[in-house]
Amino acid sequence: MISRVADHCFWMGRYLERSESTSRVLRVTSSLVLDAILPPAQVWTSALAVSGEDEAFAERHGAAAMADGVRVTEFLTWDPTVPSSLARSIDAVRENARSIREVVSLEAWEAINELHVWLHESGRAEWAVRPDAFYRQVRTGTQLILGAVEHTMLHDNAFDFIMLGVFLERVGQTARILDVHHHALMQLPPDLLREETLWLSLLRACAGFEPFMKRKAGRVTPGEVATFLMLEPRFPRSLVFCLREADQRLASIRSPGDEAFPPLRCQARLAAVETFLSTRSVPDEDLHALLTHVVDETAAICGELHEELFRAPPRPWPVAHAEQSRAEA
């Protein structure tokens, strides 16, 4: 597979997961505001911080506007200049898929187009009237695309690169959501800290509410929630699960024991993060430092992937062309 195709596959997966995560965070945040347990400014600031757009929003609209849910959701949903906005992410999914149309199945391509057309033709009107239904539709559309990718594409290197992008993006999204919300909630007074609604909203933001309740039998505590989202090996959005899946996808692309190619630094780094996290005991750790390390390492792994697999190596100067150039000189 040429590096250009691999790069588009990887970023298609990343933007697909980013779209799904953003839609879920905005939907859960809107519901949490209605519960009126926390001040709106605190709730919406957390949503901006998860996307890494809190400073950009404050610079453009002012810090006071962080309490305005309509302005925040419009910024994170429709603004074309915001790198992580929902509309820009879905546009990027389609553009990357269009660039690799020869490897994307017809069913996946149709699902991508349907979501893209709906978003730009009737999505804005739906968002203005029924934002909850709008974000649910985006979530359903992205999950349909992922299902089509998994069940209608060959499970070859193109599929591995798409899923590698999905799982690495999911690691970063889950870690940021947990870090921002857990840190904010732990600053609350003891009576609010025991409010289960807040911790359940964190689980819903990571699609973990029902799995957590089945696994933990309803024991909702800050430590249990954090441990589940980080270390539960059977939950497909936990950090450990996603890191292991990403490691397997990368091993399918380049086996660690393949002596025909040099070992990948990103592969060793990915395995190191997985081992590091698997040996942690969440209640005994500085959670913010731990999650910051995971986010930073995931970003570094993506950067090394680009350098080692996606970036075209320098092309040697053709001998005949070099001799011609010297003769003309």
Side-chain angles (χ1 to χ4, degrees):
M1 173 178 287
I2 62 176
S3 60
R4 178 191 64 81
V5 174
D7 190 25
H8 283 301
C9 288
F10 179 75
W11 278 102
M12 173 186 156
R14 288 198 67 179
Y15 279 117
L16 189 58
E17 180 62 25
R18 190 174 300 177
S19 302
E20 202 267 353
S21 179
T22 300
S23 66
R24 194 179 336 100
V25 167
L26 290 176
R27 183 169 180 243
V28 170
T29 303
S30 300
S31 298
L32 185 58
V33 169
L34 294 177
D35 291 332
I37 298 173
L38 300 176
Q42 180 177 349
V43 179
W44 289 115
T45 300
S46 295
L48 288 164
V50 167
S51 300
E53 301 293 347
D54 46 338
E55 293 183 1
F57 180 86
E59 182 178 348
R60 187 179 307 181
H61 299 289
M66 289 184 175
D68 187 342
V70 174
R71 188 172 293 185
V72 172
T73 53
E74 184 172 17
F75 179 81
L76 292 176
T77 302
W78 298 107
D79 197 318
T81 65
V82 177
S84 57
S85 74
L86 197 56
R88 183 162 172 175
S89 295
I90 292 175
D91 286 348
V93 171
R94 187 185 183 281
E95 181 58 27
N96 279 282
R98 186 194 62 78
S99 300
I100 51 170
R101 181 63 189 85
E102 68 276 11
V103 302
V104 176
S105 69
L106 174 62
E107 290 82 358
W109 174 244
E110 288 177 341
I112 291 169
N113 269 324
E114 286 175 6
L115 178 60
H116 185 266
V117 169
W118 171 82
L119 183 80
H120 289 285
E121 287 191 354
S122 58
R124 187 77 186 227
E126 179 79 6
W127 174 83
V129 178
R130 298 195 306 162
D132 184 77
F134 169 85
Y135 292 119
R136 189 188 308 116
Q137 179 63 32
V138 172
R139 185 195 63 193
T140 300
T142 53
Q143 291 172 348
L144 178 63
I145 295 167
L146 273 175
V149 167
E150 183 172 0
H151 296 291
T152 65
M153 282 183 59
L154 287 174
H155 284 208
D156 54 7
N157 278 350
F159 173 80
D160 288 329
F161 275 115
I162 291 172
M163 298 311 296
L164 179 61
V166 167
F167 283 114
L168 286 178
E169 180 69 22
R170 191 175 293 175
V171 169
Q173 291 288 337
T174 300
R176 282 192 294 271
I177 291 170
L178 179 56
D179 186 21
V180 169
H181 287 278
H182 192 278
H183 177 74
L185 295 179
M186 291 303 290
Q187 310 305 312
L188 296 174
D191 56 330
L192 283 181
L193 187 60
R194 292 189 294 268
E195 179 60 56
E196 290 188 359
T197 302
L198 300 177
W199 299 104
L200 294 178
S201 71
L202 173 54
L203 288 167
R204 289 189 177 97
C206 298
F209 170 69
E210 288 187 6
F212 176 88
M213 300 303 284
K214 293 175 181 177
R215 182 71 178 85
K216 299 295 183 179
R219 296 189 300 273
V220 184
T221 66
E224 291 284 2
V225 170
T227 300
F228 181 83
L229 292 177
M230 294 176 66
L231 304 179
E232 175 53 57
R234 293 171 292 182
F235 177 52
R237 292 183 178 274
S238 75
L239 299 184
V240 163
F241 184 98
C242 293
L243 286 168
R244 288 175 180 169
E245 286 293 320
D247 191 32
Q248 291 176 16
R249 297 280 72 77
L250 192 53
S252 297
I253 295 165
R254 174 80 66 83
S255 172
D258 191 344
E259 298 180 355
F261 298 97
L264 295 173
R265 297 187 307 273
C266 59
Q267 205 160 30
R269 199 161 192 167
L270 181 56
V273 177
E274 180 190 340
T275 301
F276 167 81
L277 192 60
S278 299
T279 58
R280 300 298 100 180
S281 176
V282 171
D284 301 329
E285 297 283 344
D286 180 348
L287 198 60
H288 176 65
L290 185 62
L291 292 168
T292 299
H293 175 74
V294 172
V295 170
D296 291 344
E297 282 298 293
T298 303
I301 289 166
C302 292
E304 289 190 346
L305 266 169
H306 174 76
E307 292 296 324
E308 295 183 283
L309 294 178
F310 303 149
R311 184 179 180 182
R315 299 178 64 180
W317 193 263
V319 175
H321 189 75
E323 290 174 351
Q324 179 182 347
S325 298
R326 285 196 296 270
E328 290 175 351

